[in-house]
């Protein structure tokens, strides 16, 4: 007997609650010290209007009833925008534009990911473009803080490695969905090696670690196959070789790990300040914009979790951490009943990437892990980081069959993956029937 169709998620109450939270926190910035910040008010107001417009339009025009992921994305993005506004109205405006572009990327990706035939056709072009972007980065980027992370185009700074994260998950899912094909395996090995190799040449070891962890998740989704194990080992050997090659650089970058208090006015200054100011926030924080960490270099990017603890308190900071865990829970839940192995792979890989990157940021600034300088998704200031964060959310969302109502009418989790009215090749029938 078929199971009852999943009851639609009532998005209105939590959306209203999030909006109230955003208005209350924004008011503390907009009316700071009796001064009205017009640009911050307009930017945050426009953001709230956009998120409500999306929710209403998605639920009415496209009949998308399950908006849990979008609400979590709006919640995190709103916190990041308010943090930016507490430092600079210019930061808030740029962050608002980045969120808008991220939402556009999210919508476009959902349209593309709807059809696996389009995904398979785009696999090779996306891989080639990703390699080209990284190669262009090596040529055009200037060394900033010891890395070649950023390139500037028409006065706009872009971090190519963030964009390539989307391609890495996309190509990995599309390729390993057809893992039995030796040619596909070879192509993905080459793609992964090139990507990680470029990241090491850029001396972006934090992002290289994120890529490797993501790859492990993708490979794990196809575990039990000898070729999968060989694929993981190949990348691991490459990573070890690169670390040995750049041993002196790695040592210089991570020499303060577990010794930040030995040089708290030098190389350990950022992390010691983060720990001191974070502890002063307590459960409820000192108040948005009232902290001292914002005067430290990279406060709104690499150290943003410290600002969250100091000004917003441990309760909100803990809620942010739990939200990233919920991404993984959502991905695992939907992956069990998705339409194709591709969706299961990309959903788990994307959610794992977000959780792992969050962990590197949080535990790095608190000296529990080496400080890698990666951003906190959705919250850290940065345009390309925001685009990547919403792109990862699209991968997770695409795995849920309810994202595409027209498809859910013929393919539901409680029905066969291939209903009788959908033709299946003779070869597939023979495989199924033995």
């Amino acid at each position: 007997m078929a199971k009852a169709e999943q009851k639609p998620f009532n998005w209105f109450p939590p959306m209203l609650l999030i909006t109230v939270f955003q208005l209350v926190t924004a008011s503390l910035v907009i009316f700071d010290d009796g001064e009205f910040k017009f640009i911050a008010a307009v930017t945050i107001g426009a953001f709230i209007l956009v998120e409500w417009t999306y929710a209403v339009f998605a639920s009415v025009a496209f009949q998308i009833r399950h908006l849990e992921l979008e609400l979590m994305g709006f919640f995190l993005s709103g916190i990041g925008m308010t943090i930016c506004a507490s430092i600079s109205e210019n930061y808030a405006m740029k962050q608002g534009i980045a969120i808008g572009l991220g939402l556009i990327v999210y919508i476009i990706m959902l349209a593309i990911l709807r059809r696996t035939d389009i995904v398979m056709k785009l696999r090779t072009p996306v891989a080639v473009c990703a390699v080209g972007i990284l190669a262009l980065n090596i040529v055009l980027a200037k060394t900033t803080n010891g890395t070649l992370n950023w390139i500037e185009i028409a006065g706009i700074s872009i971090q190519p490695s963030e964009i390539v994260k989307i391609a890495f998950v996309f190509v990995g899912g599309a390729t390993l969905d057809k893992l039995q094909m030796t040619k596909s395996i070879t192509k993905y090995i080459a793609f992964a090696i090139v990507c990680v190799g470029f990241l090491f040449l850029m001396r972006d070891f934090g992002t290289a670690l994120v890529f490797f962890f993501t790859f492990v998740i993708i490979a794990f989704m196809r575990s039990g196959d000898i070729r999968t194990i060989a694929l993981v080992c190949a990348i691991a050997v490459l990573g070890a070789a690169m670390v040995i090659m750049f041993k002196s650089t790695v040592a210089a970058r991570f020499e303060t790990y577990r010794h930040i208090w030995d040089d708290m006015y030098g190389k350990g200054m950022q992390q010691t300040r983060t720990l001191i100011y974070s502890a002063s926030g307590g459960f409820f924080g000192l108040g948005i914009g009232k902290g001292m960490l914002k005067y430290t270099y990279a406060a709104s990017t690499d150290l943003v979790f410290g600002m969250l603890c100091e000004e917003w308190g441990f309760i909100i900071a803990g809620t942010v951490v739990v939200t990233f865990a919920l991404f993984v829970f959502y991905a695992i839940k939907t992956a069990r009943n998705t339409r194709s192995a591709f969706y299961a792979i990309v959903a788990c890989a994307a959610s794992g990437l977000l959780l792992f990157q969050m962990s590197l940021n949080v535990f790095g600034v608190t000296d529990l892990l080496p400080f890698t300088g990666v951003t906190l998704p959705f919250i850290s200031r940065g345009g390309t980081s925001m685009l990547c964060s919403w792109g990862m959310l699209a991968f997770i969302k695409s795995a849920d069959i309810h994202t595409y109502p027209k498809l859910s009418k013929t393919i539901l989790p409680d029905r066969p993956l291939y209903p009788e009215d959908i033709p299946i090749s003779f070869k597939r029938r023979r495989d199924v029937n033995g």
Side-chain angles (χ1 to χ4, degrees), residues 274-275 302 304-306 308-309 317 320-321 324 355-369 371-372 374-377:
T274 300
L275 289 174
D302 302 346
V304 72
F305 187 75
L308 198 59
C309 292
V320 167
V321 173
F324 283 98
L355 182 65
F356 183 68
Q357 186 166 323
M358 180 276 295
S359 301
L360 286 181
N361 181 278
V362 171
F363 297 136
V365 298
T366 54
D367 202 35
L368 295 176
L369 289 176
F371 184 52
T372 55
V374 297
T375 58
L376 182 59

Side-chain angles (χ1 to χ4, degrees), residues 198-245:
F198 271 123
L199 290 171
F200 271 91
L201 291 176
M202 293 158 54
R203 298 185 290 278
D204 190 356
F205 304 111
T207 302
L209 188 59
V210 171
F211 270 54
F212 176 72
F213 181 82
T214 304
F215 171 78
V216 171
I217 295 177
I218 293 175
F220 177 77
M221 294 297 293
R222 282 296 194 182
S223 62
D225 190 292
I226 296 178
R227 286 169 291 189
T228 301
I229 299 174
L231 194 58
V232 175
C233 291
I235 300 298
V237 170
L238 171 68
M242 287 293 186
V243 169
I244 295 174
M245 183 181 302

Side-chain angles (χ1 to χ4, degrees), residues 107 187 249 311 324 385 403 418:
I107 295 171
K187 286 181 178 180
T249 306
E311 299 184 359
F324 283 98
S385 175
T403 301
Y418 296 98

Side-chain angles (χ1 to χ4, degrees), residues 4 6 36 59 84 90 192 205-206 223 230 245 253 282 332 335 337-338 353 383 409 417 420:
Q6 185 179 353
F36 180 73
S59 60
C84 289
N90 185 45
F205 304 111
S223 62
M245 183 181 302
R253 187 172 179 84
I332 294 174
N337 300 307
T338 193
L353 184 151
K409 293 179 181 178
L417 187 61
E420 294 180 357

Side-chain angles (χ1 to χ4, degrees), residues 267-342:
K267 295 181 179 179
M269 186 184 71
Q270 286 180 300
Q271 289 163 282
T272 54
R273 296 298 181 276
T274 300
L275 289 174
I276 293 171
Y277 295 138
S278 296
S280 67
F283 285 105
F284 303 102
L286 300 178
I288 301 174
K290 305 299 183 183
M292 296 298 294
L293 185 60
K294 64 181 180 181
Y295 299 112
T296 303
Y297 178 74
S300 59
T301 52
D302 302 346
L303 310 179
V304 72
F305 187 75
M307 283 192 65
L308 198 59
C309 292
E310 180 190 17
E311 299 184 359
W312 299 62
F314 293 153
I315 294 178
I316 298 299
T319 303
V320 167
V321 173
V322 170
T323 302
F324 283 98
L326 289 176
F327 286 146
V328 176
F329 175 79
Y330 187 97
I332 294 174
K333 180 181 177 181
T334 57
R336 293 174 179 174
N337 300 307
T338 193
R339 294 176 288 145
S340 165
F342 166 78

Side-chain angles (χ1 to χ4, degrees), residues 369-411:
L369 289 176
F371 184 52
T372 55
V374 297
T375 58
L376 182 59
F378 293 104
I379 295 180
S380 290
R381 176 173 58 87
T384 44
S385 175
M386 186 63 70
L387 296 183
C388 173
S389 299
W390 280 97
M392 292 300 129
L393 214 61
F395 284 127
I396 305 173
K397 186 73 173 181
S398 67
D400 189 350
I401 187 62
H402 295 95
T403 301
Y404 308 102
K406 291 183 179 180
L407 290 178
S408 67
K409 293 179 181 178
T410 56
I411 305 176

Side-chain angles (χ1 to χ4, degrees), residues 47 50 81 95-105 386-387 390:
F47 166 67
V50 166
M81 175 178 288
Q95 193 75 351
I97 294 173
I99 294 172
L101 293 175
L103 191 57
I104 292 174
V105 168
M386 186 63 70
L387 296 183
W390 280 97

